[in-house]
Amino acid sequence: MNATPLEILQQYWGYDSFRSLQLEVIESVLAGKDTLALMPTGGGKSICYQVPSLCQEGICLVISPLIALMKDQVEHLKKRGILAEAIYSGMHYQEIDRILDNCIHGNTKFLYVSPERLETELAIARIKQMNVNLVAIDEAHCISQWGYDFRPPYLQIANIREWLPKVPFLALTATATDPVVKDIQEKLAFKKENVFQKSFARQNLAYVVLHEEDKEGKLLEILQKVKGTGIVYARNRRRTKELAWYLRQRNISADFYHAGLSTDLRSKKQDAWINNKSRIIVCTNAFGMGIDKPDVRVVVHLDLPDSLEAYFQEAGRAGRDGQKSFAILLYQANDKQRLEYQFKLSFPAMEDLRRVYRALGSYLQLAVGSGQHQSFDFNLVQFAQAFQLKPTLVLSSLKILEQEGWLSLNDAVYIPSSLRIRVSKDELYDYQLRHPKLEVVLKTILRTYQGAFNNFIRIREKQLAKFLRIPIQELRQALLKLHRDKIVQYHPQRDEPQLVFLRERVDADNLTIDQQRYNFLKNRHFERMQKSIEYVEQASCRHQQLLRYFGETTTKKCGTCDVCLGRTKAKLSPDDFKRYQQKIQRLLQKEQLSMQELVESFSPKREAQVMQALEYLVDEGKVEVEDGKLIWR
């Protein structure tokens, strides 16, 4: 070892001590043990693989499904003087080739790759030649069909052990239930079970569910009462824009954010919010990954999430500095129906899957038998319009095809232009004499960027055009002319979502899916949705409900949620309570019922009283909840 973990932490991060559990995980990894670390959002997971890798000779291979997060991590490491690279969909072969060569022969310490890349012959051949000291698997829950974000390429990760038999694995995730914890270790072929788990309890975070018909009015009231920055999650892109406008009209500094915006605009909006130039960011669930803003005072969900894993992760972006903060979910009766309708749309019929897949082949002009590992710019809305398909059907179909390992769809990611000079210096000089209009462009590139004769260099077209005092379109036309004349090899910048065919295209009639897995995933999705509904409808401590879902059963009531503070309680006389108890007992002794089924056995206007009576019975141990069903003990 070159240095101790604490010395590395102080040298590169400037911290004097580790956070809870970080050092234990690091020491486990340095001892060569396969390790699974469960740490809540904002718990400092990246330190757990970055520090031990820097303590040793060699490179750390980091597997992550999120391109934006990979790029952020690479930039953060480079700013600290640590060499890091990432390869992902949309990059050109020559660029990937250069990066992999540097990982073998250079001083690169971290290589970030998407799981799909591990299946390519190029990556396999080069990784075998690398001096790998650790394999880190981020978002490790993606390997489990029991989890909420299953991705089949993760199942291939264990194959790396054949090439790197002595290298330990470190799996990291913020949210995992007990079955997922077991599944991660099994699917990654851990030599021995080894889990470090930080409690999911967040004492400074108050979880609140409010039944509100006027959600916009309540949102305004919340943001007027709770000072400081906040995040508001909305169900779709149009809604984010409407809500941000609504808040601005009422003197609350707000902006909107979603994956449909350009990378440049998203970055500007994100930076403005992080630097407190805008107070509230109204967004879809595309926002939040990798953002470490500790002083978020409130996170509001205007719609019911389809899983408690997703909700817990998003809500957990509040109060990372340990100060009092709020996670508020606004709920109304038709939210449940909307969520159930979305569930039906999420699992299209086989004929719809084939229709979308056939249209993809036509849209991308891809012949049967070709396309494996090819990446394409892909605009979902334009595609849906071109083939008169509903965007929701297209998105659901793509997700199923992704789960089945046919393709992958990544969010828009900015990839700068790159070029390499293909001719000798003498040939270039001769070309400049014959094309004086292009001479200034070539000279400026050569003065501004180094190494263009030997390698691809990345160029910032906006900055270059500004320096040359010409429109950016004129610059691009000049670069394309140089490319056509075979003076340079030029790859224009990209800023579109990337669709990758993981297998060669087949005739749509021969498209198959694993029906057993499809049904399993559908059932698991339904079960998670029911748990989400239970969370808002069950009048018991919100904190306890969430922790119980993640396997923590010994926690006390939080005393800070809406239930504990009595906001959802109705007044019940002893006689009324006795009557409700008798009827609940009678119903549950006859058969096990879900929360919804029990409540529907009473008059709708009695819902609040039934929920309060049920809370008391659960607290007293007379009623238990198992697998979504209420049982009388």
Side-chain angles (χ1 to χ4, degrees), residues 455-469:
N455 298 302
F456 274 91
I457 56 167
R458 292 189 171 187
I459 57 174
R460 299 279 177 176
E461 292 180 0
K462 260 188 197 174
Q463 293 174 0
L464 193 57
K466 190 175 179 181
F467 183 81
L468 290 165
R469 297 181 181 176

Side-chain angles (χ1 to χ4, degrees), residues 28 43 118 202 311 349 393-394 398 437 474 512 521 546:
S28 175
L118 294 175
R202 295 281 303 279
Y311 178 69
L393 172 66
V394 172
L398 293 178
K437 287 184 179 179
E474 188 177 322
T512 58
L521 294 172
L546 287 169

Side-chain angles (χ1 to χ4, degrees), residues 84-99:
E85 297 282 3
I87 55 175
Y88 43 78
S89 305
M91 294 177 70
H92 295 282
Y93 174 87
Q94 294 95 336
E95 180 74 355
I96 294 171
D97 195 46
R98 178 192 66 79
I99 289 171

Side-chain angles (χ1 to χ4, degrees), residues 279-346:
R279 181 188 157 207
I280 305 298
I281 194 88
V282 187
C283 55
T284 60
N285 58 10
F287 181 81
M289 276 293 180
I291 293 171
D292 190 13
K293 183 169 173 59
D295 60 344
V296 178
R297 294 280 72 89
V298 61
V299 172
V300 182
H301 281 75
L302 272 85
D303 302 282
L304 187 58
D306 61 5
S307 76
L308 289 182
E309 288 97 332
Y311 178 69
F312 187 79
Q313 194 164 41
E314 290 161 6
R317 294 185 176 120
R320 292 185 184 177
D321 57 3
Q323 301 301 309
K324 179 73 173 180
S325 304
F326 298 88
I328 301 172
L329 199 161
L330 303 182
Y331 179 66
Q332 57 183 222
N334 64 359
D335 285 352
K336 178 182 169 184
Q337 282 72 40
R338 186 183 294 115
L339 193 60
E340 289 170 341
Y341 176 68
Q342 287 173 344
F343 168 73
K344 290 177 183 176
L345 292 178
S346 296

Side-chain angles (χ1 to χ4, degrees), residues 402-518:
E402 187 168 31
Q403 287 176 343
E404 290 296 316
W406 285 101
L407 52 81
S408 70
L409 179 64
N410 299 311
D411 285 339
V413 60
Y414 173 69
I415 301 175
S417 301
S418 61
L419 66 77
R420 177 178 66 88
I421 295 174
R422 301 176 63 176
V423 296
S424 68
K425 290 182 180 180
D426 289 341
E427 288 171 308
L428 184 65
Y429 179 70
D430 180 58
Y431 182 86
Q432 286 173 318
L433 290 177
R434 289 184 287 110
H435 298 83
K437 287 184 179 179
L438 295 173
E439 182 182 16
V440 66
V441 174
L442 285 164
K443 280 188 173 179
T444 304
I445 289 172
L446 290 170
R447 279 200 302 266
T448 310
Y449 303 97
Q450 303 297 316
F453 280 98
N454 302 314
N455 298 302
F456 274 91
I457 56 167
R458 292 189 171 187
I459 57 174
R460 299 279 177 176
E461 292 180 0
K462 260 188 197 174
Q463 293 174 0
L464 193 57
K466 190 175 179 181
F467 183 81
L468 290 165
R469 297 181 181 176
I470 60 173
I472 192 167
Q473 200 55 41
E474 188 177 322
L475 171 65
R476 286 173 181 162
Q477 287 171 357
L479 293 171
L480 286 169
K481 163 75 173 160
L482 291 165
H483 180 83
R484 285 193 299 271
D485 291 349
K486 297 185 178 179
I487 300 301
V488 304
Q489 194 170 352
Y490 166 60
H491 300 308
Q493 70 179 40
R494 307 173 82 162
D495 193 13
E496 288 283 343
Q498 297 295 302
L499 182 78
V500 185
F501 267 71
L502 301 178
R503 305 189 212 173
E504 63 181 34
R505 186 198 165 192
V506 298
D507 186 279
D509 292 333
N510 296 326
L511 181 76
T512 58
I513 65 170
D514 184 331
Q515 197 63 48
Q516 188 175 356
R517 177 164 65 192
Y518 176 90

Side-chain angles (χ1 to χ4, degrees), residues 163-178:
W163 331 326
L164 309 168
K166 295 181 180 179
V167 179
F169 276 27
L170 171 60
L172 303 130
T173 182
T175 50
T177 58
D178 286 343

